[in-house]
DNA sequence: CTTGATCATGAAATTCATTTTCATGATAGC
DNA sequence: GCTATCATGAAAATGAATTTCATGATCAAG
């Protein structure tokens, strides 16, 4: 982990950037916390250890990591951009519309069929986004329970 | 087409709304123009025939059609919401990153596999969004051409 | 170690799509 | 025609994200 942080920092140096406390704090916290973090959430976490860090620096740092290829932006239609590490390989998402929990999956048959469809349309595919929205098991069973209220 | 407009208007009446010139103009223009229209584009088109109509009314009318189930919102990550008629059945999208052209497709095998994956994860799928980003044939061949500039 | 050029920072201002407010105009049903 | 209710457009407000700007930190050279 410390290794990863140093690798990122040296790549920042190599690309003409400089080290900084705030930025290190943001990067370390990002790799420490879970997936699909929003800037607001990440800022709150960073502020616990480094109260002086503002959200603007978090915005800038995430864009920097994006340029360096360490993160991906994801958007589940909430009006905010979320970030996930690019260390793990490509995957798609199951998004619960009730509790918001996100489950990752990969299905090579679907990936294969996507390539096939693209080529059938003379289209050169580069990336794709497959999000399935619905209810996770917990939320689905809760919705089945007949009226308990009032 | 005139039929469709009347159907929508009567449903608006039934749900407690009233008729209006501006709204009719927006609805008619929407069904007249192509798919994946943004509010800005639609407003410009409407203004040609009805210059007094403001974009706020277009925003409101599209949300109304959304509530009544006539349209879907689509988002290709451009920062603006686009609308498409809900008359045609579900489909997915091939989006050209160069010229922006959007091709629709449907592949029942992919749809089938999505259900399978969801159920494997004890997830009840309701909707999904599959967008494939890349280059259409025209843009792909143009990019292959070696440096022609200066 | 000092210097000086360059980069990074946070606060405030700005942008841009979208929504809300508000005073006024249009509509429907009596 | 009257009137309650809805729809309108302009302007203001919102909220995420970016830019500006004055100041502070960093680093390579000397
Ligand atoms: Mn993910
Ligand atoms: Mn479509
Ligand atoms: Zn859930
Ligand atoms: Zn193209």
């Amino acid at each position: 982990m410390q290794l990863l942080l140093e690798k990122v920092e040296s790549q920042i140096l190599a690309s003409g950037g400089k080290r900084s406390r705030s930025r290190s704090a943001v990067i370390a916290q990002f790799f420490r916390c879970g997936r699909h973090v929003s800037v607001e959430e990440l800022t709150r976490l960073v502020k616990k250890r480094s109260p002086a860090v503002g959200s603007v620096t978090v915005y800038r740092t995430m864009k920097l990591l994006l340029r360096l290829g360490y993160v991906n932006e994801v958007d589940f239609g909430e009006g905010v951009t979320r970030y996930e590490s690019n260390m793990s390989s490509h995957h798609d998402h199951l998004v619960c519309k009730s509790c918001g929990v996100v489950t990752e999956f990969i299905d090579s048959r679907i990936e294969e069929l996507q390539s096939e469809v693209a080529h059938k349309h003379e289209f050169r595919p580069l990336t794709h986004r497959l999000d399935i929205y619905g209810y996770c098991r917990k939320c689905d069973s809760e919705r089945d329970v007949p009226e308990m209220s009032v």
Side-chain angles (χ1 to χ4, degrees), chain A:
Chain A
M1 215 297 225
Q2 197 62 25
L3 218 74
L4 176 57
L5 220 165
E6 283 186 26
K7 188 182 165 202
V8 179
E9 304 251 274
S10 68
Q11 195 173 341
I12 291 177
L13 281 181
S15 69
K18 289 176 181 170
R19 259 181 267 265
S20 100
R21 293 278 162 71
S22 302
R23 195 145 67 185
S24 298
V26 174
I27 298 174
Q29 181 61 58
F30 172 74
F31 284 119
R32 197 181 300 125
C33 69
R35 312 183 63 73
H36 316 124
V37 196
S38 72
V39 168
E40 191 206 331
E41 291 165 355
L42 187 52
T43 302
R44 197 168 28 222
L45 290 170
V46 170
K47 270 184 185 300
K48 283 185 184 171
R49 301 185 181 216
S50 316
V53 176
S55 65
V56 187
T57 296
V58 182
Y59 274 108
R60 284 194 273 233
T61 302
M62 297 319 289
K63 287 295 184 190
L64 175 60
L65 291 181
L66 183 68
R67 263 179 271 126
L68 296 180
Y70 285 99
V71 303
N72 282 133
E73 292 184 333
V74 293
D75 169 18
F76 297 133
E78 314 157 286
V80 295
T81 301
R82 294 180 175 276
Y83 289 88
E84 63 180 1
S85 164
N86 201 16
M87 301 289 93
S88 66
S89 52
H90 164 78
H91 57 262
D92 298 313
H93 296 115
L94 297 165
V95 185
C96 178
K97 296 177 80 166
S98 174
C99 69
V101 72
V102 176
T103 308
E104 307 184 335
F105 73 91
I106 181 72
D107 188 297
S108 57
R109 299 167 300 172
I110 294 180
E111 304 288 319
E112 188 58 43
L113 287 170
Q114 287 182 44
S115 294
E116 183 192 315
V117 167
H119 290 130
K120 194 187 303 169
H121 288 268
E122 300 187 289
F123 188 90
R124 179 198 291 272
L126 293 176
T127 63
H128 67 260
R129 161 177 69 176
L130 170 55
D131 301 326
I132 302 179
Y133 296 89
Y135 294 105
C136 72
R137 187 167 67 122
K138 183 172 69 66
C139 293
D140 192 40
S141 58
E142 280 170 10
R143 297 182 95 248
D144 272 347
V145 177
E147 307 289 329
M148 262 199 281
S149 44
V150 187

